[in-house]
Amino acid sequence: MSSMIKVFLLLAVMVCISKAQFNEMGQQCLCHRVRNGIGRKSEIKDVQIYPATNFCNKVEIVVTLNSSLRYCLNPKLMAVKKLLTNIMGNQKNTTTKPKEFTTTAGSTNTPIAPSA
């Protein structure tokens, strides 16, 4: 093969590599495809919500099933919005409020060790 053909092939490979990297720049998202259905809610083990960032400009919702299968949901669907509202409502109901400390003049908020 002549050296001129080698140079052109090398140049073509470099252009292809740079094009592939350019298309992925800024779009390093987890979800390349999304499901339009939720499936059985009883099989859902975990739901993770990833907000839009510099690397991926869209909100991503990743569902993990009890069988460890993972898939992405379409965040624009009404059923998905209802599911997230339901999950957020349950979290608010199960969280406990922090205990409040009251202080008087000259006192501290240090715990008192039980007497033996």
Side-chain angles (χ1 to χ4, degrees), residues 35 37-45 63-66 71 83:
R35 280 193 182 181
I38 295 175
R40 294 185 188 171
K41 294 179 185 176
S42 62
E43 293 180 0
I44 295 176
K45 179 180 179 181
V63 174
T64 305
L65 300 179
N66 291 330
Y71 61 88
L83 174 70

Side-chain angles (χ1 to χ4, degrees), residues 6-104:
K6 289 179 183 179
V7 169
F8 282 122
L9 285 175
L10 181 61
L11 183 61
V13 169
M14 289 175 56
V15 167
C16 289
I17 290 172
S18 66
K19 276 275 205 188
Q21 288 178 344
F22 178 74
N23 289 338
E24 293 178 11
M25 291 295 282
Q27 290 302 310
Q28 298 174 355
C29 301
L30 294 171
C31 301
H32 298 288
R33 294 183 304 169
V34 294
R35 280 193 182 181
N36 285 325
I38 295 175
R40 294 185 188 171
K41 294 179 185 176
S42 62
E43 293 180 0
I44 295 176
K45 179 180 179 181
D46 186 35
V47 177
Q48 296 174 335
I49 303 169
Y50 297 97
T53 63
N54 292 337
F55 301 107
C56 181
N57 61 358
K58 59 185 178 182
V59 174
E60 298 179 298
I61 302 171
V62 180
V63 174
T64 305
L65 300 179
N66 291 330
S67 63
S68 298
L69 177 70
R70 296 176 71 186
Y71 61 88
C72 297
L73 292 176
N74 185 350
K76 295 178 183 176
L77 288 177
M78 186 55 73
V80 174
K81 290 178 182 179
K82 287 181 182 179
L83 174 70
L84 294 177
T85 302
N86 188 16
I87 290 171
M88 296 296 189
N90 287 342
Q91 284 183 348
K92 288 179 183 176
N93 293 336
T94 59
T95 57
T96 59
K97 293 182 181 179
K99 295 180 180 177
E100 296 180 16
F101 291 102
T102 57
T103 59
T104 58

